[in-house]
Amino acid sequence: GAGVSQSPRYKVAKRGQDVALRCDPISGHVSLFWYQQALGQGPEFLTYFQNEAQLDKSGLPSDRFFAERPEGSVSTLKIQRTQQEDSAVYLCASRIRGEGTGELFFGEGSRLTVL
Amino acid sequence: GENVEQHPSTLSVQEGDSAVIKCTYSDSASNYFPWYKQELGKGPQLIIDIRSNVGEKKDQRIAVTLNKTAKHFSMHITETQPEDSAVYFCAASRRGGSQGNLIFGKGTKLSVKP
């Protein structure tokens, strides 16, 4: 498709389980961002990739969170030993350029519920 | 780091009225200020943006202004329609750092009553 695609759209996990969330950015987009959006809040930055390089992971809340983009296209956000506070919508966004500022194109998000 | 404050958190207007949302930012190095609209169950979508070398910008029914000295920016929607009902986010970013990472406000839920 032409837009950013995320899967799964919905994920229910039991506390302690590991989850993996996938993002297919727009083809050719250099920059890829992951955001976490809690209910009723704005998106909060988690991590940033420029092609396959993870240039900023300062927003990852703990070492249970790990992201990768090995070939500079598809990205996976992995959360190990999920906790209830991890429940949120995880948004992926891509941008055509690697440098500077500009429009981010967001996917519809993956809603994670940890029981 | 950058902090973006957004007001009001909720806004209810009659169809045809105007709606104004205001934001402030803390990092004087920020130079890009987009506004995103998020509908229920969807990802945010850019509706308009403004850069620090411009004081105001208009696109059809939406106008945005930026006051760099006061570090605040606002969005004005005229002739609101029911389909304008959504959550709106302001954001700020700058060159360098995480290459244009956006810092978002907490959002304004706009309801337009027919």
Side-chain angles (χ1 to χ4, degrees):
Chain A
V4 177
S5 179
Q6 292 188 245
S7 61
R9 288 293 316 279
Y10 305 92
K11 176 70 179 178
V12 178
K14 292 183 179 178
R15 190 171 54 181
Q17 284 185 330
D18 298 347
V19 300
L21 308 177
R22 176 188 167 104
C23 173
D24 269 283
I26 295 172
S27 178
H29 278 202
V30 172
S31 296
L32 186 145
F33 298 81
W34 282 98
Y35 287 84
Q36 180 188 60
Q37 186 174 27
L39 190 64
Q41 301 295 312
E44 292 194 357
F45 170 75
L46 293 177
T47 188
Y48 165 71
F49 290 86
Q50 189 174 109
N51 294 308
E52 70 280 1
Q54 188 176 21
L55 299 186
D56 189 340
K57 53 182 180 179
S58 62
L60 296 176
S62 77
D63 59 8
R64 297 185 295 103
F65 287 70
F66 172 77
E68 60 182 4
R69 192 187 185 196
E71 297 180 358
S73 55
V74 171
S75 178
T76 303
L77 176 67
K78 298 179 180 178
I79 308 173
Q80 297 178 322
R81 303 182 303 282
T82 52
Q83 305 293 314
Q84 285 188 323
E85 61 263 29
D86 299 335
S87 296
V89 175
Y90 291 86
L91 294 165
C92 175
S94 69
R95 188 183 66 209
I96 191 166
R97 295 189 308 170
E99 302 288 325
T101 56
E103 182 175 2
L104 299 191
F105 293 84
F106 282 85
E108 295 194 323
S110 292
R111 179 180 295 277
L112 173 64
T113 303
V114 181
L115 302 177
Chain B
E2 175 66 280
N3 182 53
V4 176
E5 300 280 343
Q6 182 172 348
H7 299 281
S9 57
T10 60
L11 181 57
S12 182
V13 300
Q14 288 294 134
E15 182 177 1
D17 287 351
S18 293
V20 179
I21 302 171
K22 298 182 179 181
C23 294
T24 60
Y25 62 99
S26 60
D27 186 352
S28 56
S30 289
N31 62 355
Y32 176 65
F33 305 92
W35 290 83
Y36 281 79
K37 177 182 182 181
Q38 187 173 30
E39 297 177 331
L40 200 61
K42 300 286 182 69
Q45 184 173 17
L46 180 72
I47 51 173
I48 194 168
D49 56 15
I50 189 168
R51 295 189 180 273
S52 59
N53 58 348
V54 174
E56 57 183 79
K57 183 177 179 180
K58 187 174 182 180
D59 184 3
Q60 299 182 2
R61 295 184 296 110
I62 299 176
V64 291
T65 59
L66 171 65
N67 182 327
K68 285 190 295 182
T69 302
K71 289 191 280 194
H72 66 70
F73 56 115
S74 61
M75 180 175 69
H76 188 184
I77 306 174
T78 59
E79 301 171 22
T80 54
Q81 301 166 2
E83 52 266 36
D84 294 331
S85 296
V87 179
Y88 292 82
F89 294 97
C90 61
S93 74
R94 61 178 179 87
R95 291 184 62 87
S98 188
Q99 293 301 328
N101 168 41
L102 295 178
I103 306 300
F104 286 87
K106 292 188 182 298
T108 297
K109 183 175 182 180
L110 174 63
S111 300
V112 180
K113 299 179 180 179

